[in-house]
Amino acid sequence: MSQTTFLRQEIDQFDKPYRTHLINSLTGFKSVALVGTQDAQGKTNLSPFSQIIHVGANPPLLGILFRPHTVPRHTLENIEATRAFTVNHIREEFVAQAHQTSARWDVSEFEACHLTPEYTAQVAAPYVREAHISIGLQWVERADIAANGTILIIGEMMEIRLPSHALHPDGFVDLEAAGTLTCSNLDAYHKTEKIARYSYAKPGEPLREL
Amino acid sequence: MSQTTFLRQEIDQFDKPYRTHLINSLTGFKSVALVGTQDAQGKTNLSPFSQIIHVGANPPLLGILFRPHTVPRHTLENIEATRAFTVNHIREEFVAQAHQTSARWDVSEFEACHLTPEYTAQVAAPYVREAHISIGLQWVERADIAANGTILIIGEMMEIRLPSHALHPDGFVDLEAAGTLTCSNLDAYHKTEKIARYSYAKPGEPLREL
């Protein structure tokens, strides 16, 4: 197998689109979800994010990394104004609409991309009705990354909505059964096929498949 | 479709294993890679991580979130001692060995799990020879998350190694062609099948498939 190696000096010399694709690809397959917010006047916003990270289970925390605040970032502004946001997993049935929400629309992305806002009493932000797994969150912390000005927003899960058939008796969620997709780079969407779910690893004990 | 909703009070009352599975599943499919490090004496360590996030392309930055530093965390200690680490994508051919590295071994996980350390002049940490995509990184920043004591370590990419056939002319890396897997929860591994790669979204313009 022919292998390519890039050293740091070469990476720095690539043109911007090439470097963006390359580096965004290299973190591997990513979570991808539509983040729903609204401003203080109730105008809704929807945007796809792949920089989503599990932060902790107790309390239940999730983080989203935002690019530097130099251009309008409605999602971040709305979260800072209302302290609320939703994370909605993307399914194949609306993947093209989900990708289209990344364009710079004047109207709400819900309207522009034909997705349906839905509200509950728990969170002051719109859910995406078309999503099967969605989480309502409340802002708890902001961490600024000095290295490049990105901003990590941590949210606390206030509400979880998921298909009953995807929930296993031990709390594991079968994301495939729920139709959740993964992405690579900023533009490729993939479905998955499970290879194995393994038991907790212990020295000298063979793994079991769960 | 029958839907299950959990409110925050219910989440807090789940027993620990159930809550851990549920919350770890809900961030969606994740990057999963073996992180290679060594201590000041050159003793190697290898551990699987799924809390990996793209931080930026210029400079090329990647972040890994570590759990609170209350139990021995050799990977974090090694990174803080040597300022170097490698990120190695997991393929189906060694997925069980990769999962086994998460056990508490006394000897190096390379030895215990039959994986091969490999060194380059660029980074003071071992690569995994069996991986097809691997990145050598240098520590640049640590961000402490107050909400739960987790630690985000940011690394700068010094070297990138990938199969030539997986690299597209525009910098996009075909992770499927490289055999890279994704994971869900902390124990399930999945291969992927591409649905579509879409053009940059613009208002009023239909998406093209790339």
Side-chain angles (χ1 to χ4, degrees), chain B residues 160-171:
Chain B
I160 294 167
R161 298 154 21 119
L162 76 172
S164 306
H165 72 271
L167 183 60
H168 285 212
D170 68 351

Side-chain angles (χ1 to χ4, degrees), chain A residues 7 13 18 20 24 46 55 68-69 90 96 100 109 128 131 166 170 181 184 191-192:
Chain A
L7 302 187
Q13 279 160 21
Y18 189 95
T20 301
N24 270 283
L46 201 55
V55 173
H69 206 171
I90 296 172
Q100 279 281 21
E109 292 78 10
V128 176
D170 68 350
L181 300 183
S184 63
K191 53 188 172 188
T192 65

Side-chain angles (χ1 to χ4, degrees), chain A:
Chain A
M1 190 187 69
S2 163
Q3 204 185 38
T4 298
T5 299
F6 295 127
L7 302 187
R8 180 53 191 277
Q9 311 86 279
E10 299 168 88
I11 301 169
D12 287 343
Q13 279 160 21
F14 290 138
D15 62 28
K16 189 181 164 186
Y18 189 95
R19 185 175 49 230
T20 301
H21 291 313
L22 178 68
I23 305 302
N24 270 283
S25 296
L26 283 173
T27 28
F29 290 104
K30 298 182 271 196
S31 309
V32 62
L34 288 171
V35 175
T37 57
Q38 60 188 25
D39 66 16
Q41 285 71 46
K43 187 188 170 188
T44 58
N45 187 282
L46 201 55
S47 187
F49 280 82
S50 62
Q51 283 154 290
I52 297 175
I53 193 168
H54 168 80
V55 173
N58 186 22
L61 301 174
L62 167 159
I64 302 180
L65 192 76
F66 290 86
R67 291 169 58 193
H69 206 171
T70 49
V71 290
R73 298 279 164 207
H74 293 133
T75 301
L76 180 57
E77 286 164 16
N78 289 348
I79 293 174
E80 302 219 305
T82 66
R83 306 271 149 158
F85 60 106
T86 68
V87 166
N88 306 272
H89 289 203
I90 296 172
R91 298 185 301 119
E92 187 168 4
E93 287 71 8
F94 61 94
V95 62
Q97 289 154 273
H99 189 74
Q100 279 281 21
T101 65
S102 63
R104 295 174 182 274
W105 299 98
D106 290 323
V107 297
S108 167
E109 292 78 10
F110 278 103
E111 191 188 321
C113 304
H114 309 292
L115 292 162
T116 317
E118 189 171 87
Y119 291 87
T120 68
Q122 307 299 320
V123 52
Y127 285 105
V128 176
R129 179 172 294 165
E130 289 77 6
H132 284 175
I133 296 185
S134 47
I135 313 166
L137 298 112
Q138 193 164 54
W139 184 99
V140 284
E141 187 173 348
R142 168 187 171 136
D144 289 83
I145 308 301
N148 70 344
T150 49
I151 298 154
L152 182 66
I153 296 291
I154 315 271
E156 211 168 320
M157 299 184 187
M158 304 310 291
E159 184 173 45
I160 293 168
R161 296 152 25 118
L162 77 170
S164 307
H165 72 270
L167 183 61
H168 285 209
D170 68 350
F172 177 80
V173 181
D174 183 338
L175 298 175
E176 273 166 25
T180 295
L181 300 183
T182 178
C183 81
S184 63
N185 192 20
L186 294 165
D187 51 16
Y189 299 86
H190 311 253
K191 53 188 172 188
T192 65
E193 187 190 329
K194 191 171 80 169
I195 293 171
R197 184 181 174 207
Y198 289 121
S199 57
Y200 191 82
K202 293 181 184 169
E205 278 187 23
L207 296 175
R208 286 175 298 108
E209 292 209 17
L210 302 182

Side-chain angles (χ1 to χ4, degrees), chain B residues 18-189:
Chain B
Y18 189 95
R19 184 174 50 230
T20 300
H21 291 314
L22 177 68
I23 305 302
N24 270 283
S25 296
L26 283 173
T27 29
F29 289 104
K30 298 183 271 196
S31 309
V32 63
L34 287 171
V35 174
T37 58
Q38 60 187 24
D39 66 16
Q41 286 71 46
K43 186 186 172 189
T44 59
N45 187 282
L46 201 54
S47 187
F49 281 83
S50 62
Q51 283 153 290
I52 297 175
I53 193 168
H54 168 79
V55 173
N58 186 22
L61 301 175
L62 169 157
I64 302 180
L65 192 76
F66 290 85
R67 290 170 57 194
H69 205 169
T70 50
V71 290
R73 298 280 164 207
H74 293 134
T75 302
L76 180 57
E77 286 164 15
N78 290 349
I79 294 174
E80 301 218 305
T82 65
R83 306 271 149 161
F85 59 108
T86 68
V87 167
N88 306 272
H89 289 202
I90 296 172
R91 298 185 300 119
E92 187 167 3
E93 287 71 8
F94 61 94
V95 61
Q97 289 155 274
H99 190 74
Q100 278 282 23
T101 65
S102 63
R104 295 175 181 273
W105 299 99
D106 290 325
V107 296
S108 168
E109 293 78 9
F110 278 103
E111 191 186 323
C113 304
H114 310 291
L115 292 163
T116 317
E118 189 171 88
Y119 291 87
T120 70
Q122 307 301 318
V123 53
Y127 285 105
V128 177
R129 179 172 295 164
E130 288 77 5
H132 284 175
I133 297 185
S134 47
I135 313 166
L137 298 111
Q138 193 164 55
W139 184 99
V140 285
E141 187 173 348
R142 168 187 172 136
D144 289 83
I145 308 301
N148 70 344
T150 49
I151 297 154
L152 182 66
I153 296 290
I154 314 273
E156 212 168 317
M157 298 184 188
M158 304 310 290
E159 184 173 45
I160 294 167
R161 298 154 21 119
L162 76 172
S164 306
H165 72 271
L167 183 60
H168 285 212
D170 68 351
F172 177 80
V173 181
D174 184 338
L175 299 175
E176 272 165 25
T180 295
L181 301 182
T182 178
C183 82
S184 63
N185 191 20
L186 293 166
D187 52 16
Y189 299 86

